[in-house]
Amino acid sequence: MTQSLRQRVLSASLSLGLLAGAAAPAAAETLADALAAAYENNPTLQAQRATQRVIDEEYVQARTGWRPTLSASANAAWQEIRTPASERARLDRPTDRAIVRGNAGAAQLTFSQPLWTGGRVASSVTAANADVLQGRENLRRLEGQVMLAVITSYVDVRRDQENLRIQQENLKVLQAQLEESKARFDVGEVTRTDVAQSQSRLANSQAQLANAEAQLAASRATYATLVGHNPGTLQAEPSLAYLMPGNVDDAFVLAEQNSPLLRAQEFAEQGSRARIAGARAERMPNLSLQSTLRWGNAPIDPFHSDMYDTEKTASLNVSIPLFTGGLINSRVRQSIERNNADRITVEAQRRNVLQTITQAWNQLIASRANIVSTDEQVRAAKIAAEGTHQEEQVGLRTTLDVLNAEQELRAAQLSQVTARRDEYVAAATVLASMGRLEARNLIPSQPQYDATANYRRLRITWGWVPWEEPIGVVDGAIAYPAIPKAKDKALEPAISPGLLPPPAGPAAAPAAAAPAASPAPAAPPAAS
């Protein structure tokens, strides 16, 4: 089979599969179902959780600077010395052996325990703790992005399904209009121009229907990528009103406290501030205890244990850096400037969050205004289309008037569907920027991933020793300058009740129902 033929067969198979999937009946799916599936199976979210567990290990690795180390070493040597006869004669030792062979072995155990590092390890532990907190916020941010992407994909599929229904209905109306035009042409009531106009509009409707099918297929593919399965029958979107703030000022305040983007940058600044103290601690002395036990200086073959020497040593070591060629000073300056950059970026991220909320809030207000206007537009366009049809029957309107009225009605219906979709996405964007678009607020019944569980498990694990804690306290307390601590910030408690299923009845129809509107927000303050 040639490559072009294989491509045609594959394209045909995919097309048939897509049409079969669209036509096959499926169980009704709610937005909560889609979010729960993505929360459990989305690979991007799972990868970020694994990344957070990697960061947790950095905290453990930093604490090993307070822990003892024990190492063992051993060596074995074999030696052969050949002395020529001429050399033995020159030395007047003809009875010496021409070949002398020997072997020796040694073994050693070394134990080392840091007692005080001048704050080096304490600053590393604080910085690692800040990195862990930053990683948790990055996980929250990615979770919000995934939730927002799933919500957007969900409403996109419903919008495109409705668009496809509208285009199919438009195609049926135009087919009936063409048949009517042909019949009236046959009896001489209209001209060939009227028939051609109907044919043109029908051809355009067929192209728009194909575009609607393609757009729905693309939205379904995006949904499957995020959620893990193809969408079936999607129920109406539940209300997000229980998560929405009363006004934009409240949204700003909540974002200052809970935005994962802003909180992550604040923890990054704490980590770089601790690293300044770590760089300065390189100037301080380092105190450690070391003990060794050595056996050696005896042959391995033949082995006689009583021939081996035993050497035991214990030492208290103090090292003080006196001159490093400016390396430590350079590292201190570098750490200070990195902290300056992180501190400035905190303000930049704050402005970005407020900008995103302002834009999404204004889009939310505009979309709700569009919903009101498009509802009225659809109502009026329906009346106009029906009246134009009736007036055409009595000769007061032309075929072109009827076609234009139908086109205006379909355009109004499409605008209505788009406005409802935009309103819901804008509300979800506001919540994502505030840090409220999380699984614990949306799907509380779903088992929640605990980002702190792995950290708590690693806190006391293999390698931990009881005297590690007092050494850490001393190392941090005597450090100069003082080491700043990484301070966690409490999160907003989970908000009940979560996404509820849509109400029963006509409002729950997935094709025609509008999203439940939350209370109308107040307009954001005018920009200065």
Side-chain angles (χ1 to χ4, degrees):
M1 182 182 293
T2 64
Q3 181 177 2
S4 58
L5 181 57
R6 285 197 301 268
Q7 291 175 346
R8 290 196 298 271
V9 171
L10 178 60
S11 300
S13 301
L14 291 175
S15 301
L16 290 174
L18 181 61
L19 293 176
E29 184 175 11
T30 65
L31 179 57
D33 296 333
L35 292 174
Y39 184 76
E40 184 70 21
N41 303 313
N42 184 270
T44 303
L45 192 54
Q46 290 179 331
Q48 188 63 30
R49 292 168 181 167
T51 300
Q52 180 59 32
R53 293 192 290 271
V54 172
I55 299 175
D56 291 342
E57 296 292 345
E58 295 179 0
Y59 178 77
V60 178
Q61 294 167 14
R63 294 187 66 90
T64 58
W66 291 324
R67 297 174 181 176
T69 58
L70 179 65
S71 61
S73 63
N75 64 77
W78 178 84
Q79 185 182 44
E80 179 182 279
I81 301 175
R82 293 176 178 265
T83 305
S86 58
E87 182 66 14
R88 284 181 284 142
R90 187 182 67 81
L91 296 175
D92 195 20
R93 291 187 297 187
T95 59
D96 287 355
R97 288 186 298 170
I99 301 176
V100 178
R101 296 184 177 90
N103 61 80
Q108 178 174 308
L109 284 176
T110 302
F111 174 85
S112 179
Q113 171 63 62
L115 299 179
W116 182 58
T117 68
R120 295 172 178 84
V121 176
S123 60
S124 297
V125 170
T126 298
N129 189 30
D131 292 343
V132 169
L133 297 175
Q134 180 188 5
R136 291 176 189 172
E137 295 304 321
N138 288 333
L139 178 58
R140 286 186 60 228
R141 176 178 56 83
L142 186 63
E143 179 183 325
Q145 291 176 350
V146 171
M147 296 293 104
L148 177 60
V150 171
I151 290 174
T152 303
S153 176
Y154 188 96
V155 295
D156 282 350
V157 171
R158 280 180 35 82
R159 176 201 61 190
D160 295 338
Q161 287 175 342
E162 180 66 7
N163 288 347
L164 180 61
R165 185 195 64 79
I166 293 173
Q167 295 297 346
Q168 291 171 340
E169 181 179 343
N170 186 46
L171 183 64
K172 293 179 181 179
V173 171
L174 292 179
Q175 287 174 339
Q177 180 65 33
L178 177 59
E179 295 299 327
E180 181 181 350
S181 297
K182 288 181 178 180
R184 296 181 65 186
F185 173 76
D186 291 339
V187 297
E189 293 184 5
V190 297
T191 65
R192 185 175 298 276
T193 301
D194 297 296
V195 177
Q197 290 172 342
S198 299
Q199 291 173 336
S200 175
R201 292 295 176 88
L202 179 60
N204 181 61
S205 177
Q206 291 171 338
Q208 292 178 347
L209 178 61
N211 290 335
E213 290 174 344
Q215 180 59 45
L216 176 58
S219 297
R220 286 172 57 87
T222 302
Y223 182 97
T225 300
L226 293 169
V227 179
H229 61 263
N230 289 322
T233 302
L234 303 182
Q235 295 188 18
E237 303 88 359
S239 174
L240 297 175
Y242 72 101
L243 293 174
M244 292 296 295
N247 52 64
V248 72
D249 291 329
D250 291 342
F252 290 156
V253 173
L254 291 169
E256 290 266 3
Q257 300 171 353
N258 300 307
S259 169
L261 184 64
L262 181 56
R263 287 167 59 97
Q265 186 56 42
E266 290 173 345
F267 289 131
E269 190 276 333
Q270 292 184 18
S272 62
R273 198 187 326 152
R275 289 183 174 93
I276 295 177
R280 287 173 173 164
E282 294 294 329
R283 300 168 177 156
M284 302 295 289
N286 198 345
L287 180 64
S288 64
L289 175 66
Q290 184 170 325
S291 177
T292 60
L293 178 61
R294 177 181 174 84
W295 300 273
N297 300 326
I300 300 176
D301 185 20
F303 177 78
H304 298 284
S305 60
D306 55 350
M307 298 178 62
Y308 277 78
D309 297 336
T310 301
E311 179 183 352
K312 300 177 182 179
T313 62
S315 61
L316 187 63
N317 303 324
V318 179
S319 63
I320 304 175
L322 298 178
F323 180 72
T324 60
L327 176 62
I328 294 178
N329 291 339
S330 176
R331 287 176 175 173
V332 170
R333 293 192 299 269
Q334 183 185 47
S335 301
I336 291 174
E337 293 305 326
R338 183 174 290 114
N339 178 252
N340 288 337
D342 287 338
R343 179 170 45 81
I344 295 170
T345 306
V346 170
E347 178 60 25
Q349 297 291 27
R350 178 180 290 107
R351 296 183 183 185
N352 289 337
V353 169
L354 298 185
Q355 178 189 17
T356 302
I357 290 178
T358 301
Q359 292 173 343
W361 196 273
N362 285 320
Q363 180 62 42
L364 181 62
I365 294 174
S367 298
R368 288 176 176 172
N370 288 341
I371 290 176
V372 176
S373 62
T374 53
D375 287 347
E376 177 62 22
Q377 184 181 2
V378 169
R379 185 195 64 81
K382 285 182 179 179
I383 296 175
E386 293 173 358
T388 304
H389 272 288
Q390 295 175 0
E391 291 171 358
E392 182 204 20
Q393 300 297 326
V394 296
L396 298 178
R397 296 283 184 174
T398 65
T399 301
L400 182 60
D401 294 331
V402 173
L403 296 174
N404 288 339
E406 287 293 337
Q407 184 177 13
E408 290 179 1
L409 174 59
R410 305 308 169 200
Q413 291 174 335
L414 294 175
S415 298
Q416 182 186 49
V417 173
T418 301
R420 291 174 177 174
R421 177 264 179 197
D422 292 344
E423 187 267 348
Y424 204 82
V425 172
T429 303
V430 171
L431 296 175
S433 301
M434 292 167 47
R436 281 187 171 180
L437 205 66
E438 298 181 281
R440 63 194 185 102
N441 293 331
L442 299 173
I443 44 175
S445 59
Q446 176 74 13
Q448 303 293 303
Y449 178 79
D450 185 2
T452 66
N454 183 68
Y455 176 83
R456 293 193 303 268
R457 180 180 60 83
L458 295 175
R459 181 61 179 82
I460 298 179
T461 182
W462 171 253
W464 179 87
V465 291
W467 57 88
E468 169 188 338
E469 306 299 332
I471 290 178
V473 172
V474 172
D475 192 41
I478 307 180
Y480 179 82
I483 300 173
K485 300 299 182 182
K487 299 179 181 179
D488 197 0
K489 299 171 59 178
L491 282 173
E492 182 183 30
I495 303 174
S496 300
L499 294 179
L500 298 176
S518 55
S528 58

